[in-house]
Amino acid sequence: MAYRRLIGAFAMLGFLGVAACAPVQFVARYDGQTDLAAQTMQRDIATFFVKITTSASTADTSFSANQGFYQQQTVNIGAMQLRAAQIPKNDLTMQQLELVKENLAYLALLHKHCVSGALTDAQQAAVRQNGIDASLDCHVSFGASADKTGQGNMTLEPFIIPILSSQFDPSLGAIMKLEFAKKRGSN
Amino acid sequence: MTLDVAALASSILGSFKASFNTQWPEVENYAIGESQKLAHSLLQITTLRLSNQISTGECSVLLEMQKNATRNVLLAIEGIGLVAVETAINGALAAVQSAVNGAIGFALL
């Protein structure tokens, strides 16, 4: 019994040693690079939407004419996710970035006209698992309704851009908002 | 069929409030603005589908994207609430730090 008490006392001292002067922390510290990357992505997407709505020629709004945008955003969101994963207690931001990646994947599917009916659970799972398909084709493995080649000439209808803006802006704004809260009044 | 954007926003806000009851004061202003934006987006998607400007597939994708956008906002609200709780706990501990440490004889807090 005395031995157990001694062990317990040492355990308590160890706990106090760790806990002493250590403030409680539930959420990661502010990360300026995540904040800046979210701002840059918001600007890139807004620029892309302006291009789609103001281009005189449908050739300029085709997927193939904008393939570079999707390729770049695939790289950008991957880099943001990799960085966020290195920061302790950053689960909420990682979940937010995953949702932005899914929405970029859905944007590519919309642009290439790869979804012909109501999304199935299998399609949603494919989007979650494989992310953005920046190729010129539709692939079931990326959430398309069917495999199709040569979808590069498909266009994004300008009248759905306001809806898309109202989805991406709050999403990226929410990432910035959480980063700002992580400053904890220090700035 | 018509949708009332104010009623939609009110329903969304009520759901937010129920989910974040104890943290509500910290996130209320942000949640009010976001609930209105979400309601407006849902109205736009529904209107485009009812007027056959978008297909069932496009409508389904846009709704899924809307759900993801909503989840993203909810995650931010959750995080802001957690930071507020964290700040409150640390503030409370700081307020009693010198009294507790003085009484116990070492830097417990």
Side-chain angles (χ1 to χ4, degrees):
Chain A
M1 183 62 94
Y3 176 73
R4 279 189 182 174
R5 281 187 183 157
L6 193 60
I7 294 284
F10 273 116
M12 180 58 76
L13 282 172
F15 168 74
L16 291 176
V18 170
C21 302
V24 172
Q25 187 190 341
F26 300 133
V27 181
R29 295 288 168 204
Y30 171 74
D31 179 47
Q33 287 196 35
T34 297
D35 192 1
L36 185 62
Q39 291 176 45
T40 303
M41 181 173 281
Q42 190 279 329
R43 195 177 304 120
D44 289 348
I45 293 173
T47 302
F48 169 69
F49 287 156
V50 168
K51 181 183 175 188
I52 296 293
T53 50
T54 59
S55 291
S57 158
T58 53
D60 294 336
T61 64
S62 69
F63 187 89
S64 58
N66 294 281
Q67 189 179 22
F69 164 79
Y70 291 99
Q71 291 167 332
Q72 188 60 55
Q73 296 317 313
T74 303
V75 173
N76 290 350
I77 194 70
M80 290 171 77
Q81 288 183 297
L82 185 61
R83 179 173 177 83
Q86 311 312 313
I87 300 170
K89 301 185 179 181
N90 210 20
D91 291 357
L92 292 173
T93 297
M94 285 170 63
Q95 289 179 60
Q96 289 184 304
L97 292 172
E98 185 61 29
L99 292 168
V100 170
K101 187 179 84 174
E102 283 182 30
N103 273 4
L104 285 167
Y106 283 124
L107 180 62
L109 290 171
L110 270 181
H111 202 156
K112 290 189 286 185
H113 295 217
C114 291
V115 179
S116 58
L119 283 169
T120 64
D121 290 344
Q123 284 175 278
Q124 292 173 33
V127 167
R128 278 194 294 275
Q129 186 170 349
N130 295 322
I132 306 158
D133 180 5
S135 76
L136 299 179
D137 305 324
C138 295
H139 296 103
V140 170
S141 58
F142 282 86
S145 300
D147 288 329
K148 280 195 273 186
T149 57
Q151 296 293 102
N153 61 339
M154 291 295 169
T155 57
L156 203 54
E157 299 293 351
F159 59 77
I160 66 168
I161 298 300
I163 297 173
L164 295 169
S165 291
S166 71
Q167 292 167 339
F168 279 102
D169 284 350
S171 296
L172 291 161
I175 292 171
M176 293 178 231
K177 189 88 177 172
L178 180 53
E179 282 308 318
F180 188 77
K182 289 176 188 173
K183 288 183 175 178
R184 296 164 170 86
S186 61
N187 283 311
Chain B
M1 189 185 78
T2 56
L3 286 174
D4 180 350
V5 72
L8 277 179
S10 177
S11 296
I12 293 169
L13 188 64
S15 179
F16 281 178
K17 193 172 182 178
S19 301
F20 295 96
N21 52 0
T22 56
Q23 299 165 3
W24 186 244
E26 286 83 22
V27 301
E28 183 176 6
N29 287 339
Y30 181 49
I32 289 172
E34 291 307 319
S35 65
Q36 289 166 347
K37 289 180 199 167
L38 293 171
H40 188 66
S41 293
L42 282 173
L43 182 69
Q44 286 180 304
I45 294 168
T46 309
T47 303
L48 286 178
R49 178 66 198 120
L50 290 173
S51 60
N52 283 322
Q53 289 182 273
I54 58 173
S55 67
T56 304
E58 289 168 323
C59 182
S60 180
V61 171
L62 288 171
L63 281 173
E64 195 57 34
M65 293 175 78
Q66 188 61 53
K67 284 187 210 169
N68 283 347
T70 307
R71 287 180 192 127
N72 217 321
V73 169
L74 288 171
L75 286 166
I77 292 173
E78 182 183 346
I80 293 165
L82 281 173
V83 170
V85 170
E86 181 192 299
T87 303
I89 292 172
N90 287 330
L93 290 175
V96 298
Q97 185 178 35
S98 61
V100 171
N101 288 350
I104 206 163
F106 66 96
L108 173 67
L109 300 177

